[in-house]
Amino acid sequence: MNAPLRFHPRTPDSSYADLVQDAVVDPSLYTDPAIFEAEMDKIFYKTWVWVGHESEIRNPGDFKTAQIGRQPVIVVRDKSGKINVLENRCRHRGATVCEKHKGNATGFTCPYHSWSYGLDGKLRGLPYPEGYEDVVEKADLPLQNLRVGAYGGMIFASFNQDIEPLEDFLGHAKQWIDLFMKQGAGFPIKVQGEHKFSFKGNWKIQLENTTDGYHFPVVHKTFLSSVDAETSEMLSFMTDDQSITRSLGNGHSVMIMVPEHVDLDIDDGSEQLQERFSHIIEELSKTMPPEQVRRIVRSLHGAGFNLNLFPNVAMSMSFFRVLHPVSVSETQIRHVALGMDGGPEIANRERLRIHEHFQGPFGFGSPDDAEAWERVQAGSNAGRNVPILVNRGLNREWVDDNGDKVSHSTDETGMREAYAQWKKMMEQ
């Protein structure tokens, strides 16, 4: 039997390590502005942060804007096809040089004094240059170019030029990214659109949520009552021994909810296709062989798991959830709908309807999640003597052959992995 958890409230001399003790977390991690500022410097500006998907910037000149921590950046494909991530801040007086969320451009021009930059970030021109002789050399003042890495179509960037290679950082999560992308049913994955909202709570509250199976039948009871019996049964994983959570190292974790959909390339033919998709099956069967129709229809709900990549993106069944920390008590969320690039439109439309039903602003899932997150934030202000517990499943967690900690999908193994990485980075 495990010894009881002990918690020592924070003192003025506490280190960051003192704030995460075994499986308890000091509530000040949600409420202390000084901790939040340190997180920006020690985590978001030091590690790999997800900024986009390659389908969003297919062609030379395509760009999107994103955030790393609270810093605005531009993700752009230049004329040679290279992906650059540039700090969205003019080198003159600091104004942003791009305000559009996405588009195509030949360069970026500051609206304040018209300093202009190329797609590679180089300073190309400035007006009335006669005032800058022997004062400014254009080659010395490019937009800051971040370190960029990509894996499986996922684009990451870092302000830390000396950071470890992206593939090392992703580690055991790489195989799960590969599995997630199989929901394209033979087609590449593409971004279909997104919506955003904010909640009044700390970013780590949302980070905890993606591999928290314990809350699903409670918070999402209304959603489960709104879907057909087959979908509800598919998502009934509370007592399924094959439904597990795995820590993947470096703060990453995965929660398996639908074991038979973990690898969508594997199909023994025993799964009956849902009646709700009969109109899609009928339409696709006019031009496609039965095995391709079946593969597409089985993938409509996405992969059978949620993958959490520390610190800011979740690959959640059929969408990306991206968090942007705004302040210690405010977080912006982007929900990015996914589809099949080149796949049948009737199937992509259905994927959007499924996305809207749960993740959409009038859906059954996101509003309930957001209220729960805000209640956690409100409760954390009650005092530091009552810790946050992430201890569910400690007595049944085990380590497999490759070093992953494993427990049931309702256990808090993923949260403990995230806080272990938080602790490691904050102590560096």
Side-chain angles (χ1 to χ4, degrees):
M1 184 173 180
N2 290 336
L5 292 170
R6 299 186 183 278
F7 176 72
H8 305 286
R10 185 183 181 196
T11 70
D13 297 325
S14 294
S15 68
Y16 293 119
D18 295 330
L19 303 181
V20 178
Q21 304 166 19
D22 298 321
V24 293
V25 177
D26 192 301
S28 63
L29 266 68
Y30 297 161
T31 60
D32 190 329
I35 292 176
F36 178 84
E37 295 300 329
E39 289 170 341
M40 296 302 100
D41 290 335
K42 291 175 174 289
I43 296 177
F44 282 88
Y45 305 147
K46 290 290 175 63
T47 194
W48 288 107
V49 174
W50 187 87
V51 292
H53 187 262
E54 289 185 5
S55 67
E56 298 178 274
I57 51 168
R58 301 174 187 276
N59 305 308
D62 284 354
F63 70 87
K64 64 166 289 189
T65 52
Q67 296 275 133
I68 295 182
R70 292 183 299 184
Q71 296 203 38
V73 297
I74 306 168
V75 185
V76 60
R77 192 179 293 274
D78 66 22
K79 294 178 181 179
S80 70
K82 179 185 175 185
I83 297 172
N84 298 309
V85 178
L86 311 171
E87 190 174 34
N88 190 2
R89 181 179 184 272
C90 181
R91 293 297 303 275
H92 177 215
R93 300 276 284 280
T96 56
V97 299
C98 182
E99 283 298 309
K100 290 184 177 180
H101 179 51
K102 61 181 179 179
N104 185 278
T106 56
F108 304 100
T109 301
C110 177
Y112 199 0
H113 298 94
S114 223
W115 284 35
S116 60
Y117 301 87
L119 300 177
D120 56 2
K122 292 179 181 178
L123 179 60
R124 301 298 190 192
L126 40 83
Y128 308 108
E130 58 274 7
Y132 283 114
E133 298 94 337
D134 301 321
V135 175
V136 166
E137 288 291 335
K138 288 189 291 184
D140 296 335
L141 293 171
L143 298 178
Q144 184 175 351
N145 215 317
L146 279 64
R147 179 94 176 262
V148 179
Y151 184 86
M154 305 284 280
I155 306 170
F156 298 79
S158 180
F159 282 97
N160 180 7
Q161 295 293 334
D162 298 322
I163 194 170
E164 64 183 326
L166 175 63
E167 292 206 10
D168 292 348
F169 173 69
L170 294 175
H172 292 176
K174 295 196 298 293
Q175 68 185 81
W176 294 95
I177 295 175
D178 296 341
L179 288 168
F180 187 87
M181 295 305 174
K182 289 186 178 184
Q183 67 184 273
F187 297 95
I189 288 295
K190 71 173 182 179
V191 167
Q192 293 206 83
E194 67 175 56
H195 68 276
K196 65 181 180 180
F197 65 94
S198 296
F199 72 92
K200 297 177 181 178
N202 189 270
W203 65 278
K204 295 182 292 299
I205 297 172
Q206 193 285 298
L207 181 73
E208 298 167 2
N209 176 263
T210 299
T211 54
D212 174 13
Y214 193 34
H215 85 283
F216 194 87
V218 180
V219 174
H220 301 308
K221 183 177 181 180
T222 304
F223 164 74
L224 290 171
S225 68
S226 74
V227 298
D228 58 277
E230 294 164 307
T231 301
S232 181
E233 176 64 25
M234 181 182 71
L235 294 172
S236 178
F237 53 86
M238 294 292 288
T239 58
D240 186 345
D241 292 339
Q242 300 302 310
S243 180
I244 59 174
T245 298
R246 307 177 72 94
S247 70
L248 303 173
N250 292 335
H252 316 315
S253 61
V254 63
M255 176 180 67
I256 297 171
M257 294 177 289
V258 188
E260 60 271 25
H261 283 189
V262 165
D263 188 338
L264 287 164
D265 284 352
I266 298 175
D267 180 12
D268 63 8
S270 63
E271 180 182 351
Q272 185 174 351
L273 299 181
Q274 291 180 249
E275 179 66 26
R276 64 183 287 192
F277 300 137
S278 59
H279 65 293
I280 299 175
I281 296 170
E282 180 180 357
E283 181 65 27
L284 295 183
S285 296
K286 295 176 181 178
T287 57
M288 292 182 177
E291 60 274 14
Q292 187 175 12
V293 173
R294 182 175 175 83
R295 188 179 184 188
I296 289 172
V297 173
R298 286 185 75 241
S299 73
L300 289 176
H301 287 294
F305 57 88
N306 286 355
L307 174 62
N308 214 21
L309 300 180
F310 187 90
N312 79 315
V313 66
M315 302 171 72
S316 183
M317 292 193 73
S318 61
F319 71 105
F320 301 148
R321 177 189 275 160
V322 189
L323 67 84
H324 300 315
V326 177
S327 72
V328 69
S329 58
E330 183 180 358
T331 306
Q332 183 188 89
I333 301 295
R334 290 181 181 270
H335 280 166
V336 182
L338 302 177
M340 296 170 285
D341 194 359
E345 281 306 304
I346 189 173
N348 278 339
R349 286 197 302 271
E350 186 66 26
R351 289 178 66 101
L352 280 174
R353 301 294 85 79
I354 293 171
H355 179 89
E356 291 164 351
H357 185 78
F358 188 86
Q359 286 86 24
F362 294 101
F364 285 86
S366 295
D368 288 342
D369 272 333
E371 180 173 348
W373 301 336
E374 291 189 357
R375 289 190 178 199
V376 172
Q377 184 71 24
S380 66
N381 290 311
R384 291 174 174 163
N385 292 332
V386 180
I388 305 298
L389 299 181
V390 290
N391 60 342
R392 181 174 169 83
L394 270 176
N395 61 338
R396 57 183 178 183
E397 187 174 84
W398 55 280
V399 179
D400 72 1
D401 292 341
N402 68 357
D404 293 346
K405 293 179 180 178
V406 185
S407 193
H408 191 258
S409 60
T410 63
D411 293 341
E412 291 161 344
T413 297
M415 298 177 207
R416 293 190 286 273
E417 173 61 37
Y419 279 114
Q421 182 70 7
W422 182 93
K423 188 173 180 176
K424 176 183 176 182
M425 296 199 71
M426 293 294 284
E427 282 295 292
Q428 289 178 349

mmCIF file of all heavy atoms in Angstrom, residues 248-274:
data_model
loop_
_atom_site.group_PDB
_atom_site.id
_atom_site.type_symbol
_atom_site.label_atom_id
_atom_site.label_comp_id
_atom_site.label_asym_id
_atom_site.label_seq_id
_atom_site.Cartn_x
_atom_site.Cartn_y
_atom_site.Cartn_z
ATOM 1 N N LEU A 248 4.900 9.409 -22.256
ATOM 2 C CA LEU A 248 5.788 9.202 -23.401
ATOM 3 C C LEU A 248 7.114 9.944 -23.246
ATOM 4 O O LEU A 248 7.903 9.995 -24.188
ATOM 5 C CB LEU A 248 5.079 9.653 -24.689
ATOM 6 C CG LEU A 248 3.746 8.969 -24.986
ATOM 7 C CD1 LEU A 248 3.071 9.617 -26.193
ATOM 8 C CD2 LEU A 248 3.930 7.477 -25.213
ATOM 9 N N GLY A 249 7.347 10.530 -22.067
ATOM 10 C CA GLY A 249 8.581 11.281 -21.860
ATOM 11 C C GLY A 249 8.455 12.715 -22.334
ATOM 12 O O GLY A 249 7.603 13.059 -23.155
ATOM 13 N N ASN A 250 9.290 13.603 -21.801
ATOM 14 C CA ASN A 250 9.352 15.021 -22.175
ATOM 15 C C ASN A 250 8.008 15.736 -22.035
ATOM 16 O O ASN A 250 7.735 16.706 -22.742
ATOM 17 C CB ASN A 250 9.883 15.194 -23.601
ATOM 18 C CG ASN A 250 11.336 14.802 -23.733
ATOM 19 O OD1 ASN A 250 12.089 14.843 -22.756
ATOM 20 N ND2 ASN A 250 11.756 14.397 -24.916
ATOM 21 N N GLY A 251 7.156 15.234 -21.139
ATOM 22 C CA GLY A 251 5.873 15.881 -20.890
ATOM 23 C C GLY A 251 4.734 15.375 -21.741
ATOM 24 O O GLY A 251 3.585 15.759 -21.534
ATOM 25 N N HIS A 252 5.010 14.507 -22.720
ATOM 26 C CA HIS A 252 3.991 14.021 -23.650
ATOM 27 C C HIS A 252 3.259 12.811 -23.060
ATOM 28 O O HIS A 252 3.818 12.047 -22.274
ATOM 29 C CB HIS A 252 4.629 13.615 -24.984
ATOM 30 C CG HIS A 252 5.637 14.575 -25.521
ATOM 31 N ND1 HIS A 252 5.432 15.928 -25.551
ATOM 32 C CD2 HIS A 252 6.886 14.370 -26.050
ATOM 33 C CE1 HIS A 252 6.499 16.519 -26.086
ATOM 34 N NE2 HIS A 252 7.387 15.592 -26.382
ATOM 35 N N SER A 253 2.025 12.627 -23.492
ATOM 36 C CA SER A 253 1.257 11.457 -23.052
ATOM 37 C C SER A 253 0.170 11.144 -24.067
ATOM 38 O O SER A 253 -0.180 11.980 -24.915
ATOM 39 C CB SER A 253 0.624 11.705 -21.675
ATOM 40 O OG SER A 253 -0.270 12.810 -21.701
ATOM 41 N N VAL A 254 -0.359 9.922 -23.990
ATOM 42 C CA VAL A 254 -1.427 9.505 -24.886
ATOM 43 C C VAL A 254 -2.480 8.750 -24.082
ATOM 44 O O VAL A 254 -2.149 7.986 -23.180
ATOM 45 C CB VAL A 254 -0.888 8.636 -26.052
ATOM 46 C CG1 VAL A 254 -0.284 7.341 -25.543
ATOM 47 C CG2 VAL A 254 -1.967 8.371 -27.084
ATOM 48 N N MET A 255 -3.753 8.999 -24.412
ATOM 49 C CA MET A 255 -4.858 8.296 -23.777
ATOM 50 C C MET A 255 -5.655 7.566 -24.856
ATOM 51 O O MET A 255 -6.152 8.180 -25.800
ATOM 52 C CB MET A 255 -5.780 9.272 -23.046
ATOM 53 C CG MET A 255 -7.012 8.613 -22.431
ATOM 54 S SD MET A 255 -8.087 9.785 -21.562
ATOM 55 C CE MET A 255 -8.703 10.804 -22.916
ATOM 56 N N ILE A 256 -5.747 6.246 -24.725
ATOM 57 C CA ILE A 256 -6.467 5.428 -25.699
ATOM 58 C C ILE A 256 -7.909 5.268 -25.243
ATOM 59 O O ILE A 256 -8.175 4.749 -24.153
ATOM 60 C CB ILE A 256 -5.798 4.049 -25.844
ATOM 61 C CG1 ILE A 256 -4.381 4.223 -26.400
ATOM 62 C CG2 ILE A 256 -6.617 3.135 -26.748
ATOM 63 C CD1 ILE A 256 -3.564 2.957 -26.373
ATOM 64 N N MET A 257 -8.847 5.703 -26.089
ATOM 65 C CA MET A 257 -10.268 5.628 -25.753
ATOM 66 C C MET A 257 -10.999 4.581 -26.581
ATOM 67 O O MET A 257 -11.959 3.975 -26.130
ATOM 68 C CB MET A 257 -10.916 6.997 -25.934
ATOM 69 C CG MET A 257 -10.406 8.038 -24.951
ATOM 70 S SD MET A 257 -11.132 9.661 -25.234
ATOM 71 C CE MET A 257 -10.320 10.102 -26.771
ATOM 72 N N VAL A 258 -10.571 4.416 -27.838
ATOM 73 C CA VAL A 258 -11.208 3.450 -28.738
ATOM 74 C C VAL A 258 -10.098 2.537 -29.260
ATOM 75 O O VAL A 258 -9.513 2.790 -30.318
ATOM 76 C CB VAL A 258 -11.937 4.161 -29.902
ATOM 77 C CG1 VAL A 258 -12.761 3.155 -30.702
ATOM 78 C CG2 VAL A 258 -12.828 5.282 -29.393
ATOM 79 N N PRO A 259 -9.771 1.475 -28.514
ATOM 80 C CA PRO A 259 -8.612 0.642 -28.871
ATOM 81 C C PRO A 259 -8.650 0.113 -30.297
ATOM 82 O O PRO A 259 -7.609 0.023 -30.957
ATOM 83 C CB PRO A 259 -8.684 -0.499 -27.842
ATOM 84 C CG PRO A 259 -9.393 0.093 -26.668
ATOM 85 C CD PRO A 259 -10.401 1.036 -27.251
ATOM 86 N N GLU A 260 -9.836 -0.223 -30.810
ATOM 87 C CA GLU A 260 -9.930 -0.790 -32.157
ATOM 88 C C GLU A 260 -9.649 0.245 -33.246
ATOM 89 O O GLU A 260 -9.496 -0.107 -34.420
ATOM 90 C CB GLU A 260 -11.300 -1.433 -32.384
ATOM 91 C CG GLU A 260 -12.487 -0.492 -32.247
ATOM 92 C CD GLU A 260 -13.035 -0.399 -30.836
ATOM 93 O OE1 GLU A 260 -12.274 -0.650 -29.878
ATOM 94 O OE2 GLU A 260 -14.233 -0.065 -30.689
ATOM 95 N N HIS A 261 -9.559 1.530 -32.878
ATOM 96 C CA HIS A 261 -9.264 2.578 -33.853
ATOM 97 C C HIS A 261 -7.885 3.205 -33.628
ATOM 98 O O HIS A 261 -7.601 4.259 -34.197
ATOM 99 C CB HIS A 261 -10.334 3.674 -33.804
ATOM 100 C CG HIS A 261 -11.613 3.286 -34.473
ATOM 101 N ND1 HIS A 261 -12.634 4.191 -34.703
ATOM 102 C CD2 HIS A 261 -12.048 2.103 -34.968
ATOM 103 C CE1 HIS A 261 -13.638 3.572 -35.290
ATOM 104 N NE2 HIS A 261 -13.305 2.305 -35.464
ATOM 105 N N VAL A 262 -7.051 2.573 -32.832
ATOM 106 C CA VAL A 262 -5.705 3.115 -32.614
ATOM 107 C C VAL A 262 -4.912 3.085 -33.917
ATOM 108 O O VAL A 262 -4.274 4.072 -34.293
ATOM 109 C CB VAL A 262 -4.975 2.321 -31.514
ATOM 110 C CG1 VAL A 262 -3.477 2.617 -31.539
ATOM 111 C CG2 VAL A 262 -5.549 2.683 -30.145
ATOM 112 N N ASP A 263 -4.933 1.970 -34.623
ATOM 113 C CA ASP A 263 -4.280 1.862 -35.926
ATOM 114 C C ASP A 263 -5.377 1.611 -36.957
ATOM 115 O O ASP A 263 -5.873 0.492 -37.106
ATOM 116 C CB ASP A 263 -3.267 0.719 -35.935
ATOM 117 C CG ASP A 263 -2.424 0.686 -37.206
ATOM 118 O OD1 ASP A 263 -2.886 1.254 -38.235
ATOM 119 O OD2 ASP A 263 -1.333 0.106 -37.192
ATOM 120 N N LEU A 264 -5.753 2.672 -37.662
ATOM 121 C CA LEU A 264 -6.875 2.582 -38.594
ATOM 122 C C LEU A 264 -6.559 1.770 -39.847
ATOM 123 O O LEU A 264 -7.448 1.511 -40.652
ATOM 124 C CB LEU A 264 -7.360 3.988 -38.970
ATOM 125 C CG LEU A 264 -8.135 4.699 -37.850
ATOM 126 C CD1 LEU A 264 -8.241 6.195 -38.123
ATOM 127 C CD2 LEU A 264 -9.518 4.095 -37.683
ATOM 128 N N ASP A 265 -5.303 1.363 -40.018
ATOM 129 C CA ASP A 265 -4.957 0.473 -41.124
ATOM 130 C C ASP A 265 -5.304 -0.979 -40.806
ATOM 131 O O ASP A 265 -5.317 -1.833 -41.697
ATOM 132 C CB ASP A 265 -3.458 0.569 -41.443
ATOM 133 C CG ASP A 265 -3.106 1.838 -42.203
ATOM 134 O OD1 ASP A 265 -4.040 2.556 -42.616
ATOM 135 O OD2 ASP A 265 -1.905 2.109 -42.373
ATOM 136 N N ILE A 266 -5.550 -1.253 -39.542
ATOM 137 C CA ILE A 266 -5.877 -2.617 -39.126
ATOM 138 C C ILE A 266 -7.391 -2.757 -39.023
ATOM 139 O O ILE A 266 -8.045 -2.033 -38.257
ATOM 140 C CB ILE A 266 -5.219 -2.961 -37.774
ATOM 141 C CG1 ILE A 266 -3.693 -2.896 -37.895
ATOM 142 C CG2 ILE A 266 -5.659 -4.333 -37.291
ATOM 143 C CD1 ILE A 266 -2.971 -3.103 -36.588
ATOM 144 N N ASP A 267 -7.959 -3.652 -39.802
ATOM 145 C CA ASP A 267 -9.407 -3.839 -39.829
ATOM 146 C C ASP A 267 -9.693 -5.311 -40.103
ATOM 147 O O ASP A 267 -9.424 -5.808 -41.197
ATOM 148 C CB ASP A 267 -10.030 -2.951 -40.918
ATOM 149 C CG ASP A 267 -11.535 -3.088 -41.016
ATOM 150 O OD1 ASP A 267 -12.146 -3.686 -40.108
ATOM 151 O OD2 ASP A 267 -12.102 -2.585 -42.012
ATOM 152 N N ASP A 268 -10.227 -5.987 -39.109
ATOM 153 C CA ASP A 268 -10.519 -7.413 -39.302
ATOM 154 C C ASP A 268 -11.898 -7.648 -39.908
ATOM 155 O O ASP A 268 -12.316 -8.790 -40.096
ATOM 156 C CB ASP A 268 -10.379 -8.169 -37.978
ATOM 157 C CG ASP A 268 -11.379 -7.699 -36.919
ATOM 158 O OD1 ASP A 268 -12.281 -6.900 -37.232
ATOM 159 O OD2 ASP A 268 -11.249 -8.136 -35.754
ATOM 160 N N GLY A 269 -12.609 -6.549 -40.200
ATOM 161 C CA GLY A 269 -13.909 -6.662 -40.857
ATOM 162 C C GLY A 269 -15.073 -6.907 -39.928
ATOM 163 O O GLY A 269 -16.223 -6.964 -40.377
ATOM 164 N N SER A 270 -14.814 -7.041 -38.632
ATOM 165 C CA SER A 270 -15.900 -7.372 -37.703
ATOM 166 C C SER A 270 -16.692 -6.141 -37.250
ATOM 167 O O SER A 270 -17.828 -6.277 -36.792
ATOM 168 C CB SER A 270 -15.333 -8.081 -36.472
ATOM 169 O OG SER A 270 -14.442 -7.223 -35.772
ATOM 170 N N GLU A 271 -16.096 -4.963 -37.382
ATOM 171 C CA GLU A 271 -16.772 -3.749 -36.920
ATOM 172 C C GLU A 271 -17.880 -3.350 -37.897
ATOM 173 O O GLU A 271 -17.640 -3.178 -39.099
ATOM 174 C CB GLU A 271 -15.768 -2.602 -36.780
ATOM 175 C CG GLU A 271 -16.384 -1.306 -36.303
ATOM 176 C CD GLU A 271 -15.364 -0.170 -36.214
ATOM 177 O OE1 GLU A 271 -14.151 -0.453 -36.369
ATOM 178 O OE2 GLU A 271 -15.783 0.975 -36.011
ATOM 179 N N GLN A 272 -19.070 -3.192 -37.388
ATOM 180 C CA GLN A 272 -20.195 -2.774 -38.226
ATOM 181 C C GLN A 272 -20.170 -1.257 -38.385
ATOM 182 O O GLN A 272 -20.038 -0.525 -37.406
ATOM 183 C CB GLN A 272 -21.523 -3.216 -37.596
ATOM 184 C CG GLN A 272 -22.740 -2.907 -38.477
ATOM 185 C CD GLN A 272 -24.020 -3.478 -37.886
ATOM 186 O OE1 GLN A 272 -23.979 -4.227 -36.918
ATOM 187 N NE2 GLN A 272 -25.140 -3.125 -38.469
ATOM 188 N N LEU A 273 -20.278 -0.781 -39.619
ATOM 189 C CA LEU A 273 -20.284 0.656 -39.867
ATOM 190 C C LEU A 273 -21.568 1.267 -39.324
ATOM 191 O O LEU A 273 -22.645 0.671 -39.397
ATOM 192 C CB LEU A 273 -20.142 0.950 -41.357
ATOM 193 C CG LEU A 273 -18.854 0.436 -42.016
ATOM 194 C CD1 LEU A 273 -18.826 0.814 -43.492
ATOM 195 C CD2 LEU A 273 -17.614 0.960 -41.312
ATOM 196 N N GLN A 274 -21.455 2.474 -38.794
ATOM 197 C CA GLN A 274 -22.593 3.105 -38.132
ATOM 198 C C GLN A 274 -23.706 3.457 -39.117
ATOM 199 O O GLN A 274 -23.456 3.971 -40.218
ATOM 200 C CB GLN A 274 -22.140 4.362 -37.396
ATOM 201 C CG GLN A 274 -21.266 4.069 -36.181
ATOM 202 C CD GLN A 274 -20.839 5.339 -35.461
ATOM 203 O OE1 GLN A 274 -19.675 5.697 -35.482
ATOM 204 N NE2 GLN A 274 -21.775 6.013 -34.833
#
